[in-house]
Amino acid sequence: MDLPVDEWKSYILQKWSLLPTAVQLTIATAETLSDVFLLSSSLLQPEDEMFLKSLSRGYFVGKDPAAPLFYREEGNKKFQEKDYTGAAVLYSKGVSHSRPHTEDIALCYANRSAALFHLGQFEACLEDIGRAQLHGYPERLLPKMLLRKAECLVALGRPQEASQTITDLESNLTSQASLALSPFQTLQRNLHHLKMKVRDKEAVMETFPAVLANALENMDLREESEQVSSASSSVSLGTDPSKGRCLVATKDVLPGELLVKEDAFVSVLIPGEVPPLPHGLGSRWDTRISNGDLYCHRCLKHTLATVPCDGCSYAKYCSLECLRRAWELYHSAECALGGLLLTLGIFCHVALRLTLVARFQDFGKVIRKLCDEINSRAVCVPESKDPVKTLSNGLGERETSGTAVETPIPGCGVNGKYENNYNAVFNLLPQTENHSPEHKFLCALSVSALCKQLQAAGFQALTAGLKSSKLKAAVAPDLCPDLHVWGVALLRHMLQLQCNAQAITTIQQTGPHVSRLGIAARQQKLKSQYFFNCSCLACQTEAHATAAAPRWEAFCCSSCRALLQGGDVLSCSSGSCTEAVSRDHLAARLRDLQRQTGLARELLRSGELEKAIQQLSGCQRDAESFLWAEHSVLGEIEDDLAQAYAALGDWKKSAAHLQKSLTVVEARHGPSSVEMGHELFKLAQILFNGFEVPEALSTIQKAETVLAVHCGPCSDEIQELQQMKSCLLDLPPVPVGPSA
């Protein structure tokens, strides 16, 4: 997704392998990004562009006039199956292919309003009803939709508006004398029930609040930094020749503390892992659900009630306002290139959007400086000992007695303060010298192909919406007639993104977090993506600690219970004990213990609880005789015993064993880890079931604190914890002594 599709990558890498060695060497040793782009783009042939176009056609982003009926019928099938979310998405696809002010789009909006109504999204339902009417919803079908509108208003606690809608509905029913008897009677019956609701002022709360979004928006910085706008005073801005601009902690940072609250300069919705459909009949009518169907393409808000672009079927927004802003800022240029941008990947798309959005800032100095440097064959993007100095004379200079003085940190303003603008983005380090020649060749050819498409579309798209003649002059064709300058800027941004882009994703537990990787694996991951070896205190401490076995893999002395240390032969760490034992012997005992524990889990799964407890208790005694108290296997045995006793309803014993397991989890992962949060959640459930009210409330508070950081306030676990707390607080007080 970040880089172009596999077919284009393979094609370009094959093209690279066939280049003469001298040409490869010339590109590999090019001193500037301008040279990399010029040399690479000169090798782009018409057949390469034709192949790329064939790949782009796999992503159909135009409007197909036959598609709305297909998607409406498919949505009706989902609706009948009571899959209202699936129905809403399919109706949205129909909307995306419809032209404005047609019966197609009106019917799709109306059908989607019905799906949203059943999902409890009453505000969104009302908006869709309004859109259906705006686009010419057929008069003959209006009564059913007006009834739905009135029901939404009742559910939202707006009885006066509901009454007016009912009056309009009655007038409409009276005028439609040709309405079939059966549907008419059904509507009349539903209308009667609705009047009763309005009279009784029954109201149902909205069931789809944007809880997470509101929670994040309401978070505030504890104290704002004077140097970095939108950042906490817990961090300051620094710079490093090899790492570029960076944030440095100035004090201990608390778990969950908000460090930066800043809108992205640009963002692009990640389409998700949905490959293009094969060519053939019906291949354009894709019924699969992707991120592009569920989120606004501008503000990234989750929505099932999208509003489509009038020019393409891909871009969708949560509101007309987002649609308008996107069109003004970038989509007017991107609209015709949707298939190409999906083929070239997220990095190329973000790079283009960066330059399009930057048109609306005073970045003429950037363009003119690039043009001057290219025309004079000067260094376009310096990669020297001070690699982030790029364009500082044109962007971040200060005058002192007629002498230009560079800002101390590249990308900051004249006052030395960081601001969220194109200057800050442009001065991020592209790490040109660290990217492989093949990768730079792939990016350069991809950008070159995109530039040719922009050139074919003309510069009108690029200057669309620019009110300032100064800005239009900055990107006018006479300055860069072959889009060379634009291409160099795009290439720079594409290389920057590997080290500087942030992917904002939904919370999913799909595997071990990077922080759970071993020191070697974590260092390798950092090296491959960010091109540096981390030397922070935590990494150094872990590297030193892993020279010996970690505590969760350690053995203990069978005589005095002290920690065993050493290589092939382990010795007791207590000075008063002479115990020594072979590591191989202990490893064999551990393997046997794990086999015995496995047998106990089989008994547990089959419901033979008493036998399982007996087996696990024996494993527990054996483990305690040679495993360190914080060994992970010992913690797993305690967790299994807690599960067994919980199944028997012995909550007190279950809690006791789970608390021992918590000690092991905390030692391995830390008190604020997500693993600790999950274990605290389990303990809270056990204590709740055992009516241990004070202990349960205390544990719920700890679990909420940890899980809120990792999972957010909308997670299922947080919601259940809050429900448990509410139940416990509603219990009558327990008398502490005899009454008189």
Side-chain angles (χ1 to χ4, degrees):
M1 291 187 296
D2 297 339
L3 296 174
V5 296
D6 290 340
E7 295 89 342
W8 180 244
K9 284 191 289 187
S10 299
Y11 181 89
I12 295 303
L13 293 178
Q14 175 70 9
K15 184 180 180 73
W16 170 265
S17 68
L18 296 176
L19 291 176
T21 304
V23 176
Q24 290 183 350
L25 185 61
T26 302
I27 295 174
T29 57
E31 295 183 356
T32 71
L33 280 180
S34 177
D35 290 336
V36 171
F37 180 74
L38 184 63
L39 292 166
S40 300
S41 60
S42 67
L43 299 172
L44 185 69
Q45 300 300 312
E47 57 267 27
D48 304 331
E49 296 181 72
M50 291 299 295
F51 179 69
L52 182 58
K53 286 181 180 178
S54 71
L55 295 176
S56 301
R57 283 194 291 270
Y59 295 97
F60 183 75
V61 295
K63 290 186 181 289
D64 189 334
L69 176 60
F70 168 79
Y71 283 121
R72 200 164 68 248
E73 291 176 344
E74 292 298 307
N76 291 343
K77 294 176 186 177
K78 293 288 186 182
F79 190 93
Q80 290 168 2
E81 296 168 0
K82 301 189 185 303
D83 179 4
Y84 300 118
T85 298
V89 170
L90 289 168
Y91 294 141
S92 294
K93 288 178 181 285
V95 168
S96 297
H97 281 277
S98 303
R99 293 294 177 185
H101 305 293
T102 62
E103 186 170 297
D104 276 336
I105 196 169
L107 290 174
C108 286
Y109 274 134
N111 285 15
R112 192 174 72 184
S113 75
L116 294 171
F117 177 81
H118 282 281
L119 290 169
Q121 298 187 32
F122 303 121
E123 290 286 4
C125 176
L126 287 174
E127 290 176 0
D128 267 3
I129 290 172
R131 290 165 184 150
Q133 291 179 292
L134 178 66
H135 288 279
Y137 189 68
E139 188 72 20
R140 68 185 186 278
L141 302 175
L142 194 57
K144 193 173 182 179
M145 194 168 71
L146 286 176
L147 182 65
R148 186 181 308 132
K149 178 180 179 180
E151 288 179 311
C152 281
L153 291 168
V154 171
L156 291 170
R158 292 152 63 178
Q160 291 182 339
E161 294 173 76
S163 296
Q164 180 58 53
T165 303
I166 289 172
T167 301
D168 297 339
L169 174 56
E170 289 177 321
S171 300
N172 190 282
L173 287 173
T174 302
S175 65
Q176 294 199 36
S178 61
L179 194 66
L181 183 60
S182 180
F184 180 81
Q185 290 174 335
T186 301
L187 281 170
Q188 288 284 15
R189 186 168 57 252
N190 292 341
L191 184 56
H192 173 74
H193 290 313
L194 186 58
K195 284 182 176 179
M196 297 291 291
K197 286 185 180 181
V198 174
R199 188 178 65 227
D200 296 337
K201 297 182 180 180
E202 294 177 5
V204 182
M205 296 299 294
E206 183 95 18
T207 59
F208 192 74
V211 179
L212 179 58
N214 292 337
L216 295 176
E217 287 177 3
N218 293 333
M219 290 180 68
D220 291 317
L221 298 169
R222 301 175 69 182
E223 183 181 352
E224 188 166 329
S225 166
E226 296 181 359
Q227 185 187 18
V228 187
S229 62
S230 305
S232 163
S233 60
S234 296
V235 296
S236 65
L237 201 62
T239 187
D240 181 274
S242 64
K243 300 171 187 163
R245 193 173 64 234
C246 56
L247 290 176
V248 180
T250 59
K251 61 182 76 168
D252 288 341
V253 178
L254 300 175
E257 181 181 346
L258 184 64
L259 295 180
V260 178
K261 185 178 181 180
E262 178 184 61
D263 291 332
F265 186 76
V266 295
S267 60
V268 170
L269 179 65
I270 299 173
E273 299 288 352
V274 181
L277 289 171
H279 294 295
L281 184 62
S283 64
R284 293 177 176 179
W285 297 343
D286 190 356
T287 58
R288 296 171 297 179
I289 299 177
S290 70
N291 285 344
D293 301 310
L294 301 174
Y295 296 89
C296 175
H297 287 222
R298 177 177 175 265
C299 71
L300 308 183
K301 174 185 176 182
H302 184 278
T303 178
L304 290 175
T306 54
V307 180
C309 167
D310 288 341
C312 70
S313 63
Y314 177 69
K316 307 177 185 74
Y317 305 95
C318 65
S319 64
L320 288 172
E321 176 61 19
C322 269
L323 185 155
R324 182 187 65 80
R325 289 293 294 153
W327 183 264
E328 291 176 351
L329 290 171
Y330 48 80
H331 192 63
S332 56
E334 295 178 357
C335 187
L337 304 175
L340 178 63
L341 292 171
L342 286 169
T343 305
L344 293 179
I346 291 293
F347 283 177
C348 199
H349 195 170
V350 174
L352 173 63
R353 191 167 290 183
L354 270 167
T355 56
L356 292 173
V357 171
R359 297 172 300 164
F360 294 85
Q361 296 191 359
D362 188 10
F363 83 127
K365 292 180 181 179
V366 177
I367 298 296
R368 286 194 292 273
K369 185 70 175 176
L370 280 170
C371 289
D372 291 343
E373 290 175 339
I374 290 172
N375 293 334
S376 65
R377 303 296 297 151
V379 175
C380 175
V381 183
E383 299 294 336
S384 61
K385 291 183 179 179
D386 187 13
V388 291
K389 182 180 176 182
T390 308
L391 305 185
S392 58
N393 289 337
L395 290 170
E397 59 186 16
R398 290 179 289 173
E399 295 291 336
T400 306
S401 304
T403 303
V405 179
E406 295 179 14
T407 56
I409 298 177
C412 291
V414 293
N415 59 356
K417 186 174 182 178
Y418 167 85
E419 300 289 346
N420 182 11
N421 55 30
Y422 186 66
N423 176 25
V425 174
F426 192 89
N427 280 278
L428 292 169
L429 209 58
Q431 296 283 359
T432 307
E433 73 281 4
N434 288 316
H435 289 286
S436 69
E438 297 92 333
H439 180 74
K440 286 184 283 191
F441 184 65
L442 169 65
C443 293
L445 279 190
S446 299
V447 164
S448 179
L450 177 59
C451 285
K452 289 201 172 186
Q453 288 295 309
L454 289 169
Q455 191 172 39
F459 267 86
Q460 291 82 1
L462 299 181
T463 58
L466 295 179
K467 298 178 181 179
S468 166
S469 58
K470 179 181 178 182
L471 289 179
K472 288 188 178 182
V475 294
D478 59 333
L479 283 178
C480 30
D482 60 353
L483 283 180
H484 185 189
V485 174
W486 207 281
V488 173
L490 289 173
L491 178 58
R492 175 180 177 83
H493 292 319
M494 199 169 177
L495 295 179
Q496 285 175 330
L497 288 168
Q498 178 171 322
C499 300
N500 297 287
Q502 296 290 329
I504 309 301
T505 59
T506 55
I507 298 172
Q508 296 176 332
Q509 296 181 35
T510 56
H513 189 272
V514 65
S515 65
R516 300 296 175 258
L517 299 175
I519 180 66
R522 188 163 71 247
Q523 290 280 17
Q524 179 57 37
K525 185 175 178 67
L526 292 172
K527 183 70 174 178
S528 63
Q529 181 170 353
Y530 299 106
F531 306 116
F532 71 90
N533 291 315
C534 183
S535 57
C536 72
L537 179 60
C539 282
Q540 291 179 15
T541 302
E542 185 176 342
H544 177 73
T546 51
R551 290 176 297 170
W552 54 87
E553 295 178 4
F555 300 102
C556 73
C557 175
S558 60
S559 299
C560 67
R561 318 296 300 156
L563 187 67
L564 291 178
Q565 297 175 334
D568 294 337
V569 177
L570 299 174
S571 302
C572 182
S573 58
S574 172
S576 60
C577 183
T578 59
E579 184 80 15
V581 63
S582 164
R583 181 181 292 275
D584 289 341
H585 172 70
L586 293 175
R589 284 190 66 182
L590 178 60
R591 288 193 296 271
D592 182 65
L593 174 64
Q594 290 171 321
R595 282 193 295 270
Q596 296 300 319
T597 305
L599 293 174
R601 289 183 185 133
E602 287 293 331
L603 293 170
L604 192 58
R605 280 191 289 270
S606 63
E608 299 181 68
L609 302 178
E610 296 291 352
K611 290 182 179 180
I613 289 174
Q614 185 178 1
Q615 177 81 3
L616 286 167
S617 298
C619 292
Q620 179 195 41
R621 289 190 295 271
D622 186 25
E624 289 174 343
S625 69
F626 74 103
L627 298 182
W628 182 242
E630 295 170 352
H631 199 288
S632 59
V633 171
L634 193 52
E636 291 166 6
I637 294 172
E638 296 290 354
D639 192 82
D640 291 335
L641 280 166
Q643 182 182 344
Y645 280 114
L648 287 173
D650 192 335
W651 308 113
K652 189 175 290 291
K653 286 185 178 179
S654 178
H657 285 289
L658 198 53
Q659 284 167 338
K660 292 180 180 179
S661 173
L662 271 171
T663 304
V664 177
V665 171
E666 181 175 354
R668 179 168 186 178
H669 299 295
S672 301
S673 64
V674 67
E675 290 85 357
M676 191 65 176
H678 294 318
E679 290 298 305
L680 284 167
F681 173 76
K682 290 195 294 186
L683 180 58
Q685 289 179 313
I686 297 298
L687 294 170
F688 175 86
N689 290 333
F691 290 99
E692 301 289 343
V693 178
E695 295 85 351
L697 287 172
S698 174
T699 305
I700 287 171
Q701 182 62 45
K702 293 176 183 176
E704 276 190 290
T705 301
V706 175
L707 290 173
V709 173
H710 297 281
C711 306
C714 289
S715 71
D716 292 340
E717 289 177 321
I718 291 287
Q719 297 299 312
E720 186 172 339
L721 287 167
Q722 291 175 347
Q723 290 170 6
M724 287 192 290
K725 179 166 62 177
S726 178
C727 289
L728 292 173
L729 293 175
D730 287 341
L731 290 174
V734 179
V736 295
S739 58

